Amino acid sequence: MHQRRPDEYPDRAIDCQEAMEPGFQAIVDCMLEAAWSRGETLRSLKRLIAADNMTQKENARTETQLAIARAMMRAGKPF
């Protein structure tokens, strides 16, 4: 497995992809062995990624709202 360097560098995304490759192949192989097609597996992975993105956006929105509410409470203002 590739070791992540802490700094930004041109091939960082490629290194990340290469580090994930064995795990990705293991997931695909496992799903194929369980009689799911490659297409079904890849579509499901895309949906999982999309769902995770939505969750991250919603979490960020909630954290922002909480930070605003906390700041207003500290300032003694109703929200």
Side-chain angles (χ1 to χ4, degrees):
M1 184 198 270
H2 290 270
Q3 183 66 22
R4 180 179 66 86
R5 291 178 16 201
D7 56 330
E8 292 296 321
Y9 56 96
D11 290 336
R12 185 175 170 87
I14 292 169
D15 286 350
C16 181
Q17 192 174 333
E18 288 176 355
M20 281 193 284
E21 182 69 24
F24 171 78
Q25 286 303 323
I27 290 170
V28 172
D29 291 345
C30 180
M31 298 307 289
L32 292 173
E33 288 174 16
W36 296 100
S37 74
R38 186 171 188 81
E40 290 169 317
T41 299
L42 297 179
R43 283 189 297 278
S44 294
L45 285 169
K46 287 177 186 177
R47 287 186 195 115
L48 285 171
I49 291 167
D52 184 68
N53 286 336
M54 293 285 287
T55 299
Q56 295 302 317
K57 287 178 186 175
E58 188 59 37
N59 287 347
R61 194 172 306 127
T62 300
E63 287 298 321
T64 299
Q65 291 170 344
L66 287 171
I68 291 168
R70 286 186 204 108
M72 291 177 75
M73 287 175 59
R74 282 194 296 274
K77 297 184 180 186
F79 54 94

